[in-house]
Amino acid sequence: MIKWSHYVLLKKEAHLFDSKLYILKAFIAVLTAYSIAMQFELVQKDMISVLFGLLLTLEPVTITGIRSGLKQISATLLGAICTAVIISIFGISVWTIALSICATLFLCLKINWREVSPVAIFTSIYMTQYIQLAADGTPSVLLTFQLRIFALGVGVFIAIFYNFVFSLFSYKKMERKRIAYIINTLAIHLKRVQEGLVKNSMQMIIQEKRNLPQTFNGIDWLYSLIKDKEKEAVFIQKLHIKNNFETLIKLEKLLVSTREITHLIYDSTYILSNEDNSTIDISLFKVNSELLIKSLLGLSNYFENPNNKLILYTEEFNLPKTNNDGDLIQRLWVNLTQINEVIKTMALEV
């Protein structure tokens, strides 16, 4: 039963990300979008754009959804205009299809060399493969563009509406749950570093060093989300609706603390992967890192559910003293001490 549940049920990480609520919102939004779109003769010709735009715009934060919707619309304009110019001059053929897609790719890379907008590429293909006919039966680039942008607009608008509605009564604990996940991830990082040192496995330490940037990315993503929620809270406050602005400010500070711990763990992996570890008191490192791991797990459990008792092990922390402040191994002990101090600070702020 447990084995099958692993494949059928959502993982704990998905639970912490309020995935069930997201699925429910998507279900209601799709029902609404489809029902509304079917009332318009033009829009019902392109349900793909309605639903695709809708799902890409569904976000836990209204402002984030608005930004996503505007990004889709601007990418659509880019792909549509680029393709429209080419096929209007040279018509639709295998050559112009290839040329319009490549021209769109070029403009995307020109604007941002790090990524290519899939929405812009989709629109470029759409403009040649889903061409609409004018009243006289001739292909019309204008009608095709109108259909694409109107259908997309309907999907985006409905998504933004449901983002706002759900934000009023849901996602209240979303930030806490996601911070809980990040803190739990930090405990896992530190545990693997500890195991790598105890087993004298340089490969484990180096691998964990490579895994840490993903945690940095997760922290940055959540930080951006909290910033958007702060802006949303300010807007809601103007409507004289109860908001959680002060709580968000506190959570933002706690999230910055997780980034500091991540830096300290990363620096520790750097030291352990570049120094002679034979001089390290491994047993002492294991004892103290184990205390930090337990404290991090205690914080994570508390963030996930405030009804859980917050248990820390910060007072039991004990490290060797040395006068060689420039020694990298000494910096390793300093890193552990600083992690302990950050955890104590976080415990006072929760």
Side-chain angles (χ1 to χ4, degrees):
M1 179 65 185
I2 296 177
K3 183 178 180 181
W4 280 104
S5 66
H6 174 75
Y7 294 101
V8 176
L9 302 178
L10 291 173
K11 294 182 179 180
K12 182 178 180 180
E13 292 86 344
H15 168 68
L16 292 176
F17 288 174
D18 288 328
S19 297
K20 292 180 181 178
L21 189 60
Y22 171 75
I23 293 171
L24 174 63
K25 181 167 69 171
F27 179 78
I28 297 173
V30 168
L31 286 178
T32 304
Y34 199 92
S35 300
I36 292 176
M38 290 301 293
Q39 305 305 313
F40 297 92
E41 185 177 353
L42 176 63
V43 180
Q44 64 181 249
K45 295 180 180 179
D46 186 17
M47 295 301 298
I48 292 177
S49 290
V50 174
L51 299 179
F52 191 56
L54 169 79
L55 294 173
L56 288 181
T57 311
L58 287 177
E59 295 282 354
V61 183
T62 307
I63 292 178
T64 308
I66 292 174
R67 186 185 300 118
S68 176
L70 292 175
K71 189 176 180 179
Q72 286 188 72
I73 292 173
S74 62
T76 296
L77 290 172
L78 174 66
I81 293 173
C82 183
T83 305
V85 170
I86 293 174
I87 64 177
S88 295
I89 298 174
F90 303 106
I92 299 178
S93 67
V94 63
W95 299 101
T96 54
I97 292 173
L99 181 61
S100 61
I101 292 174
C102 289
T104 304
L105 285 171
F106 173 80
L107 288 177
C108 287
L109 294 171
K110 183 71 175 177
I111 295 172
N112 184 354
W113 62 270
R114 292 174 296 180
E115 64 178 1
V116 173
S117 171
V119 176
I121 300 302
F122 173 79
T123 303
S124 180
I125 297 172
Y126 178 99
M127 291 292 290
T128 60
Q129 302 302 304
Y130 208 65
I131 193 76
Q132 299 298 298
L133 302 179
D136 59 0
T138 58
S140 173
V141 173
L142 181 59
L143 285 177
T144 305
F145 172 72
Q146 287 177 341
L147 174 59
R148 166 64 177 156
I149 199 70
F150 192 39
L152 176 65
V154 169
V156 168
F157 177 79
I158 293 173
I160 291 173
F161 171 76
Y162 276 109
N163 286 341
F164 177 72
V165 171
F166 270 71
S167 70
L168 296 177
F169 65 87
S170 62
Y171 299 114
K172 298 302 182 183
K173 298 180 181 179
M174 178 186 66
E175 300 83 10
R176 290 186 64 93
K177 289 180 180 180
R178 298 191 179 192
I179 290 177
Y181 174 72
I182 289 174
I183 296 175
N184 185 73
T185 302
L186 293 178
I188 294 173
H189 284 312
L190 193 55
K191 182 67 176 178
R192 290 174 180 167
V193 172
Q194 178 202 89
E195 291 176 353
L197 182 60
V198 171
K199 296 178 181 179
N200 194 27
S201 173
M202 190 64 65
Q203 184 177 358
M204 288 184 65
I205 295 172
I206 293 175
Q207 182 58 49
E208 213 51 38
K209 180 182 177 183
R210 292 170 179 168
N211 292 338
L212 279 160
Q214 186 175 353
T215 302
F216 279 118
N217 292 336
I219 293 172
D220 289 342
W221 177 82
L222 182 55
Y223 185 85
S224 176
L225 194 71
I226 290 177
K227 278 294 185 182
D228 283 345
K229 289 210 74 173
E230 288 175 8
K231 295 175 184 177
E232 182 180 273
V234 171
F235 175 76
I236 293 175
Q237 190 176 32
K238 293 179 180 179
L239 299 178
H240 303 289
I241 300 175
K242 185 179 179 180
N243 63 87
N244 59 340
F245 181 78
E246 296 299 328
T247 301
L248 290 170
I249 294 295
K250 183 185 293 186
L251 292 177
E252 181 186 328
K253 293 179 180 178
L254 290 167
L255 189 60
V256 171
S257 295
T258 65
R259 169 170 270 280
E260 186 177 351
I261 293 175
T262 310
H263 273 295
L264 292 167
I265 296 176
Y266 185 87
D267 186 61
S268 298
T269 61
Y270 171 82
I271 295 170
L272 292 172
S273 60
N274 288 277
E275 285 294 304
D276 179 12
N277 299 333
S278 61
T279 59
I280 298 176
D281 187 338
I282 296 178
S283 61
L284 185 61
F285 182 92
K286 182 179 179 180
V287 168
N288 286 285
S289 60
E290 196 64 41
L291 293 174
L292 294 177
I293 292 167
K294 289 180 179 179
S295 292
L296 287 169
L297 292 176
L299 268 177
S300 178
N301 290 333
Y302 182 76
F303 267 96
E304 185 178 347
N305 185 0
N307 292 326
N308 293 333
K309 185 178 180 181
L310 178 57
I311 302 175
L312 299 179
Y313 301 85
T314 53
E315 301 305 324
E316 302 176 38
F317 208 70
N318 184 29
L319 286 175
K321 296 181 179 180
T322 176
N323 295 323
N324 191 1
D325 295 333
D327 184 62
L328 278 179
I329 300 301
Q330 170 64 10
R331 196 169 87 192
L332 178 66
W333 301 119
V334 171
N335 286 346
L336 293 183
T337 303
Q338 289 180 342
I339 292 174
N340 188 51
E341 292 302 317
V342 174
I343 291 175
K344 288 196 290 186
T345 302
M346 292 177 69
L348 294 173
E349 294 178 349
V350 295

